[in-house]
């Protein structure tokens, strides 16, 4: 889950549960075959890992027993939860529905969310990660709209994932967020958790409530291991790989409008990755892609296109397959940003590299290369602007 895996063995627990019958809002167990194809070490972010899987458990006490066993295990712990949330009608607290849960038996057959938070309190700060793909019923969705704190798991726990509203009558949602995570891992990529969350959220569309709570605030410009306020010119020095992931703070800086500051920090981390892991490394490519997305957020489509194309070429140079998901995604994003470029000279300067990439990586949608060529032809056919 971090840039370099830890040597201490870890534990990953996968919990996929939803009621049988008409009360099912999500086909939670549909993610299990994809997760089964992911090495347990990828799920835990460690060199070696123990995997515990709970598929449609019946009894909350049985879940609690398994949870207590993994909570006391040494090393990092990662929990992956797919399921649905409901509020009990007495305390109005969220519960994770299990296989036998019905509206009438919720308080006895579902897992109270605060039980999970209570068990994780004994874990060392920063040693626990929870990734969720949840559907909320209408009442819970309304409650989350005004108070997300009901899903808090404590200051020492990293919580990432999404919650979606109920899918509608006679429809059952799919755990698309976790499926997107597994597809990224199965491609061979091992991005930091914040970057994994960012990519998975992008791939699963809009309408969801995204959760991204890291264990500690981090200034993108603070010295390694420090949480001191950022100071101008102190741009992201090298940091140990066990330091908090700087990406959430960098993205927050960009979303706050400080685009130059965010870009400077990301560039510094890219240089650190180049020095530490070498040109063309997965870590260096990750920061190159971060810079590409920051350029998009800053509204610089031309620069974003250029950086996404560089990332695609770097992945191809690493001998990733031309139909690998990360390669196709980089080219697709470069193409999309190129289409946003309004200056004809800039777009025409970028076009040869994009055309060459599109010949190698046509993507899943037919006609992408032809779309580039048609836009170029329109420009060539347009009358030249009169001299001033």
């Amino acid at each position: 889950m971090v840039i370099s895996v830890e040597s201490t063995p870890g534990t990953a627990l996968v919990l996929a549960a939803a009621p049988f019958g008409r009360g099912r809002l999500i086909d939670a167990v549909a993610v299990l075959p994809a997760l089964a194809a992911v090495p347990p070490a990828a799920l835990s972010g460690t060199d070696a890992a123990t995997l515990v899987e709970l598929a449609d458990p019946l009894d909350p006490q049985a879940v609690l027993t398994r949870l207590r066993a993994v909570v006391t295990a040494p090393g990092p712990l990662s929990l992956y939860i797919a399921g649905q949330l409901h509020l009990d009608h007495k305390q109005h607290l969220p519960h994770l529905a299990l296989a036998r849960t019905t509206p009438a038996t919720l308080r006895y057959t579902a897992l109270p969310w605060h039980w999970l938070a209570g068990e994780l309190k004994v874990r060392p700060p920063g040693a626990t990660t929870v990734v969720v793909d949840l559907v909320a019923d209408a009442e819970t969705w309304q409650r989350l709209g005004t108070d997300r704190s009901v899903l808090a798991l404590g200051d020492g726990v990293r919580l990432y994932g999404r919650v979606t509203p109920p899918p509608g009558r006679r429809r059952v949602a799919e755990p698309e967020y976790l499926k997107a995570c597994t597809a990224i891992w199965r491609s061979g990529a091992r991005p930091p958790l914040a970057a994994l969350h960012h990519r998975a959220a992008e791939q699963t569309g809009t309408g969801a409530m995204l959760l991204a709570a890291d264990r500690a605030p981090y200034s993108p410009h603070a010295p390694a291991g420090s949480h001191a306020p950022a100071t101008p010119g102190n741009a992201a020095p090298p940091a140990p790989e066990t330091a908090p992931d700087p990406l959430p703070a960098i993205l927050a800086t960009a979303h706050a409008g400080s685009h130059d500051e965010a870009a400077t920090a990301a560039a510094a981390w890219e240089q650190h990755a180049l020095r530490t892991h070498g040109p063309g490394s997965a870590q260096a490519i990750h920061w190159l892609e971060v810079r590409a997305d920051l350029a998009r957020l800053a509204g610089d489509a031309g620069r974003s296109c250029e950086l996404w194309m560089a990332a695609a070429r770097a992945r191809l140079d690493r001998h990733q397959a031309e139909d690998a998901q990360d390669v196709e995604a980089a080219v697709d994003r470069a193409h999309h940003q190129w289409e946003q470029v309004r200056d004809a000279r800039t777009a025409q300067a970028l076009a040869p590299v994009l055309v060459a990439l599109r010949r190698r990586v046509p993507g899943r949608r037919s006609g992408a290369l032809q779309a580039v060529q048609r836009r170029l032809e329109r420009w060539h056919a347009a009358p030249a602007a009169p001299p001033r």
Side-chain angles (χ1 to χ4, degrees):
M1 308 298 290
V2 294
I3 292 177
S4 64
V5 294
E6 298 187 27
S7 57
T8 306
T11 303
L13 184 148
V14 178
L15 170 57
F20 295 135
R22 291 185 299 175
R24 176 164 291 199
L25 301 179
I26 182 173
D27 185 8
V29 296
V31 75
L32 295 181
L35 281 171
V38 176
L43 297 176
S44 67
T46 55
D47 286 326
T50 299
L51 176 62
V52 179
E53 184 178 286
L54 298 176
D56 273 336
L58 302 176
D59 179 33
Q61 291 293 338
V63 176
L64 188 62
T65 299
R66 300 299 295 272
L67 181 62
R68 285 175 174 168
V70 300
V71 160
T72 57
L77 171 64
S78 297
L79 305 182
Y80 296 89
I81 303 174
Q84 61 190 66
L85 295 173
H86 302 264
L87 293 182
D88 74 276
H89 293 296
K90 185 174 182 180
Q91 295 178 300
H92 299 284
L93 294 175
H95 287 56
L96 183 72
L98 301 182
R100 293 189 300 186
T101 299
T102 66
T105 64
L106 179 72
R107 296 187 64 230
Y108 311 102
T109 60
L111 180 73
W113 193 260
H114 60 273
W115 283 14
L116 178 61
E119 295 301 321
L120 296 181
K121 284 182 180 179
V122 304
R123 297 280 304 163
T128 308
T129 299
V130 180
V131 182
V132 300
D133 196 344
L134 302 169
V135 175
D137 72 354
E139 186 180 4
T140 310
W141 180 253
Q142 184 177 8
R143 172 75 180 275
L144 291 173
T146 58
D147 183 14
R148 295 194 189 189
S149 67
V150 294
L151 294 184
L153 293 174
D155 293 337
V157 178
R158 296 194 300 174
L159 173 63
Y160 281 86
R162 71 167 189 170
V163 184
T164 61
R169 293 187 63 185
R170 298 183 181 179
R171 293 185 60 192
V172 176
E174 292 285 330
E176 299 293 349
Y177 174 89
L178 279 177
K179 287 184 177 181
C181 291
T182 62
I184 293 169
W185 284 321
R186 292 175 67 184
S187 73
R190 298 292 183 269
L193 182 58
L196 177 73
H197 168 73
H198 185 62
R199 295 186 193 180
E202 275 193 340
Q203 293 175 23
T204 51
T206 60
M209 179 180 294
L210 299 179
L211 306 174
D214 216 317
R215 63 184 174 91
Y218 186 73
S219 166
H221 291 209
S226 167
H227 299 292
T231 56
N234 187 23
E241 304 297 8
T242 55
D245 184 358
L247 183 57
I250 291 174
L251 291 174
T253 300
H255 284 294
S258 300
H259 297 292
D260 290 343
E261 182 183 356
T264 299
W269 280 96
E270 182 185 12
Q271 290 302 311
H272 171 54
L274 289 168
R275 290 192 301 270
T276 305
H277 303 284
S281 62
Q283 295 83 358
I285 294 173
H286 160 66
W287 284 107
L288 180 59
E289 292 180 338
V290 170
R291 290 175 59 213
D293 203 45
L294 290 174
R296 175 188 65 83
L297 292 173
D300 190 346
R303 181 61 174 159
S304 181
C305 171
E306 182 180 18
L307 291 170
W308 276 119
M309 291 193 299
R313 293 199 305 270
R315 290 190 176 279
L316 291 168
D317 289 344
R318 280 172 57 86
H319 305 294
Q320 286 189 243
E322 293 169 355
D323 60 352
Q325 184 173 2
D326 285 339
V327 175
E328 289 187 337
V331 178
D332 288 346
R333 288 165 182 163
H335 189 162
H336 176 73
Q337 289 301 300
W338 182 78
E339 290 179 334
Q340 309 309 306
V341 176
R342 295 295 172 253
D343 179 70
R345 289 186 179 180
T346 301
Q348 288 172 334
L350 295 168
V353 178
L354 180 60
V355 168
L357 280 171
R358 271 301 181 208
R359 293 188 191 279
R360 292 186 63 182
V361 186
R364 304 296 172 92
R365 292 190 301 176
S366 61
L369 174 60
Q370 291 77 11
V372 177
Q373 293 171 329
R374 283 196 300 270
R375 190 182 187 202
L376 291 172
E377 289 170 359
R378 288 197 300 270
W379 274 325
H380 290 310
R388 293 186 178 181

